[in-house]
């Protein structure tokens, strides 16, 4: 995957996380941790997964959701599920 | 309290004593298919003053109203942290519709063939006990946490059950009251089909006419009324502002019809409340009526009052504050009980506004010419608050001013 494609995904992921968690989009980096840095809980994680499924037209299996800890994790996860 | 005439006791009480209305045109959704386009919305309530954005996203409007009203009540009661973070502090909240607005959103998403916005918080946001549970989470109250849902008597049942919990030692203090936010497109449409809402849309403030012959139904409203209940000795010992003493609670079921009121069940609830308070009908100096302004309720309630009070029924001032606030369903009984509390405290009876034409079936004294001084029959000013709900639920509370 090209750098541009990865950045495009990251842009959308940041939009979704910022909107769901009411956080400052500019502050989000690939290492931003949803729980530790942004105070998310498991319900937030489920809602973020729903928004990702809608935005990227993918299906995220339940067992993947607990692995979405950082922005970087989510971007990688989306790429994997897009490839499938 | 949070009501269509204001936020907090200092805003609400003067408005009601002045006979000001809180009923306005609905502006936040399309009413073009409805016959009723007016309601009692809490326009002065600014949720942002109580919650951040993430909290707002997690809380249905009913929970926002309930928690904000609780915050006001706790501040007013000057409850110390140690009294809140305690297994001896309970919450009993009445609601008729719970997280109705959220239910409608999630149903909309479900029935839109995948077009709608799905959510992982549909259940925790819309469940009926969301409000009472969120009160516990926010204020750390660890005692019994209950939600009472008996339609329009929910708030009064919640306060009555709390009163008995304290009297019989099941909690040292209870945050008690009611909250409802039922002014939604679906609920308005459903009430429309029952033909019980006023359709006097032209002049919203004059639409709700309890006990008047030309009344044509109630006006739907939202709101929250919350009290901190505790044993009188405790409240005096910690030098709290004691508004009044709750002395009686009576609850009955008509066991007759799901919507049609029965004066017998209503009268029995009033008699039980008097017996619970160890008072006779002679002691009551004011009745805050259920007074919805439907044809059936006002006639039935008048008949029930006559059965309990006999000839004295004609001497007791009776008012319906729904004429100003509309009918906030599960919150109404709590808000109206607080009105009765303030009436005995201030020695003033708020009026029934919009009364125009005498109805032979409603021939008592409904305080239709402005607020009135609370005349005193008994040694202490004592008031009764009536709440009757669909399902045939009747809940009556008695409150008296604090003895000197």
């Amino acid at each position: 995957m090209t750098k541009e494609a990865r950045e495009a995904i990251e842009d959308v992921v940041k939009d979704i996380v910022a909107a769901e968690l009411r956080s400052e989009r500019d502050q989000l980096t690939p290492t931003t941790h949803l729980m530790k840095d942004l105070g998310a809980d498991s319900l937030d994680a489920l809602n973020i997964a729903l928004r990702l499924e809608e935005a990227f037209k993918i299906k995220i299996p339940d067992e993947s959701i607990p692995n979405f800890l950082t922005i970087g994790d989510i971007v990688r996860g989306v790429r994997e599920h897009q490839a499938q | 309290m949070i009501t269509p005439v204001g936020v907090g006791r200092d805003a609400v009480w003067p408005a009601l004593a002045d006979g000001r209305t809180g009923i306005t045109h609905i502006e936040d959704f399309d009413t073009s298919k409805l016959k009723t386009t007016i309601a009692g919305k809490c326009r002065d309530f600014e949720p942002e003053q109580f919650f951040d954005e993430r909290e707002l996203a997690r809380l249905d409007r009913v929970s926002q109203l309930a928690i904000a009203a609780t915050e006001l009540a706790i501040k007013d009661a000057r409850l110390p942290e140690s009294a809140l973070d305690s297994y001896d502090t309970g919450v009993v909240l009445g609601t008729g519709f719970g997280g109705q607005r959220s239910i409608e959103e999630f149903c909309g998403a479900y029935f839109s063939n995948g077009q709608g916005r799905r959510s992982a918080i549909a259940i925790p946001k819309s469940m009926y006990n969301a409000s009472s549970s969120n009160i516990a989470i926010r204020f750390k109250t660890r005692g019994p946490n209950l939600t009472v849902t008996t339609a329009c008597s929910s708030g009064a049942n919640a306060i009555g059950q709390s009163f008995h919990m304290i009297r019989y030692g099941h909690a040292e203090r209870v945050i008690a009251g009611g909250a409802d936010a039922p002014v939604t497109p679906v609920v308005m449409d459903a009430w429309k089909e029952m033909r019980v809402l006023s359709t006097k849309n032209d002049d919203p403030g004059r639409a709700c006419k309890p006990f008047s012959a030309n009344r044509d139904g109630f006006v739907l409203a939202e709101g929250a009324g919350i009290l901190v209940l505790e044993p009188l000795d405790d409240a005096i010992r910690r030098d709290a502002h004691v508004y009044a003493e709750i002395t009686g609670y009576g609850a009955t079921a008509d066991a007759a019809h799901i919507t049609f009121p029965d004066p017998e069940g209503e009268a029995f609830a009033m008699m039980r409340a008097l017996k619970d308070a160890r008072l006779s009908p002679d002691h009551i100096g004011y009745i805050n009526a259920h007074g919805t302004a439907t044809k059936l309720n006002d006639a039935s309630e008048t008949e029930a009052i006559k059965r309990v009070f006999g000839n004295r029924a004609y001497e007791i001032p009776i008012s319906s504050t729904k004429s100003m606030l509309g009918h906030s369903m599960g919150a109404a009984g709590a808000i109206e009980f607080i009105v009765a509390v303030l009436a005995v405290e201030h020695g003033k009876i708020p009026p029934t506004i919009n009364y125009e034409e005498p109805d032979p079936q409603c021939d008592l004294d409904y305080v239709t010419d402005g607020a009135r001084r609370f005349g005193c029959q008994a040694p202490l000013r004592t008031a009764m608050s009536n709440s009757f709900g669909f399902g045939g639920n009747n809940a009556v509370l008695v409150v008296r001013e604090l003895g000197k």
Side-chain angles (χ1 to χ4, degrees):
Chain A
M1 176 173 276
T2 63
K3 184 163 173 276
E4 288 73 24
R6 193 183 59 76
E7 283 175 357
I9 294 173
E10 191 173 305
D11 266 352
V12 176
V13 168
K14 282 183 181 175
D15 286 344
I16 289 172
V17 169
E20 280 298 318
L21 302 180
R22 272 80 179 169
S23 43
E24 290 290 330
R25 192 187 183 288
D26 298 346
Q27 308 282 309
L28 303 179
T29 71
T31 58
T32 304
H33 195 287
L34 267 56
M35 275 78 174
K36 289 178 191 160
D37 297 325
L38 304 176
D41 62 15
S42 58
L43 294 172
D44 291 315
L46 291 169
N47 266 340
I48 288 168
L50 280 171
R51 301 288 88 80
L52 293 168
E53 289 185 341
E54 289 163 7
F56 294 103
K57 308 276 186 284
I58 55 175
K59 185 78 197 109
I60 298 171
D62 293 349
E63 56 272 22
S64 296
I65 296 172
N67 300 325
F68 287 177
L69 298 176
T70 66
I71 299 284
D73 294 339
I74 299 175
V75 173
R76 270 189 299 281
V78 169
R79 278 164 59 187
E80 279 167 28
H81 295 300
Q82 279 181 325
Q84 283 163 10
Chain B
M1 331 179 238
I2 298 175
T3 78
V5 297
V7 174
R9 173 209 54 196
D10 292 340
V12 177
W13 175 249
L16 296 178
D18 282 356
R20 291 206 290 272
T21 182
I23 309 304
T24 52
H25 289 288
I26 294 169
E27 285 168 356
D28 58 337
F29 57 85
D30 179 18
T31 56
S32 57
K33 289 190 181 129
L34 297 172
K35 284 186 193 140
T36 298
T37 59
I38 57 174
K41 297 290 297 270
C42 299
R43 288 167 174 249
D44 296 342
F45 174 50
E46 292 171 11
E48 303 75 23
Q49 291 193 347
F50 296 89
F51 309 100
D52 65 31
E53 274 189 59
R54 278 183 73 183
E55 289 169 331
L56 286 174
R58 284 274 178 105
L59 299 168
D60 185 88
R61 185 162 172 91
V62 70
S63 292
Q64 296 172 20
L65 289 165
I67 294 168
T70 302
E71 194 169 309
L72 296 175
I74 286 172
K75 271 189 194 154
D76 192 39
R78 289 189 285 130
L79 270 187
E81 199 98 324
S82 60
L84 285 171
D85 191 347
S86 161
Y87 285 99
D88 296 317
T89 304
V91 178
V92 183
L93 193 79
T95 188
F97 283 86
Q100 175 68 26
R101 188 180 291 209
S102 301
I103 291 172
E104 290 177 21
E105 275 172 28
F106 307 136
C107 286
Y110 180 82
F111 290 115
S112 65
N113 295 320
Q115 299 305 303
R117 187 183 166 86
R118 293 174 298 151
S119 170
I121 56 167
I123 302 295
K125 203 172 169 183
S126 64
M127 61 191 188
Y128 282 81
N129 63 320
S131 297
S132 62
S133 299
N134 276 306
I135 288 171
I137 291 164
R138 193 172 178 101
F139 302 104
K140 300 289 162 227
T141 58
R142 297 166 193 276
N145 191 291
L146 303 171
T147 297
V148 176
T149 179
T150 57
C152 308
S153 53
S154 304
N157 277 130
I159 291 169
Q161 297 300 137
S162 303
F163 163 51
H164 281 182
M165 276 168 74
I166 292 172
R167 180 197 268 173
Y168 299 117
H170 299 299
E172 284 184 13
R173 64 197 71 77
V174 180
I175 292 166
D180 242 327
V183 186
T184 70
V186 174
V187 175
M188 288 289 291
D189 192 71
W191 281 122
K192 179 192 79 178
E193 300 304 338
M194 282 193 84
R195 291 158 177 79
V196 289
L197 290 183
S198 171
T199 56
K200 296 182 190 293
N201 299 311
D202 296 340
D203 190 355
R206 295 200 57 81
C208 186
K209 302 177 189 300
F211 305 108
S212 188
N214 59 345
R215 66 187 183 276
D216 75 332
F218 70 84
V219 175
L220 192 62
E222 62 177 4
I226 302 284
L227 292 154
V228 174
L229 297 181
E230 62 187 319
L232 185 57
D233 294 345
D234 290 359
I236 291 170
R237 199 176 306 124
R238 65 178 191 85
D239 204 23
H241 176 177
V242 182
Y243 285 90
E245 186 183 2
I246 171 169
T247 58
Y249 167 51
T252 62
D254 292 344
H257 190 273
I258 196 75
T259 59
F260 204 92
D262 180 359
E264 185 180 315
E266 296 173 358
F268 223 94
M270 286 186 242
M271 287 190 271
R272 284 216 157 151
L274 286 171
K275 193 175 170 213
D276 194 47
R278 297 196 180 136
L279 294 176
S280 78
D282 289 343
H283 290 93
I284 300 298
Y286 166 56
I287 299 173
N288 186 295
H290 188 54
T292 56
T294 61
K295 290 280 183 218
L296 289 173
N297 174 81
D298 295 2
S300 172
E301 184 169 14
T302 298
E303 168 63 22
I305 291 170
K306 287 178 190 172
R307 288 190 195 179
V308 175
F309 293 91
N311 280 336
R312 253 216 91 218
Y314 294 87
E315 297 164 17
I316 304 172
I318 301 162
S319 70
S320 166
T321 31
K322 285 190 182 75
S323 59
M324 298 172 269
L325 298 174
H327 191 347
S328 55
M329 305 277 113
I335 292 170
E336 289 160 18
F337 177 70
I338 297 172
V339 170
V341 166
L342 294 171
V344 300
E345 198 201 21
H346 292 275
K348 196 174 197 177
I349 292 170
T352 303
I353 67 165
N354 303 331
Y355 182 86
E356 285 165 0
E357 293 173 21
D359 174 351
Q361 285 189 296
C362 301
D363 56 351
L364 301 177
D365 173 3
Y366 303 110
V367 195
T368 55
D369 293 319
R372 192 185 294 175
R373 199 175 63 81
F374 199 127
C376 199
Q377 290 263 338
L380 297 171
R381 288 193 291 265
T382 307
M384 174 179 274
S385 180
N386 285 345
S387 297
F388 309 136
F390 272 7
N393 290 294
N394 308 301
V396 176
L397 297 163
V398 173
V399 64
R400 73 172 173 213
E401 81 176 300
L402 200 59
K404 299 292 179 295

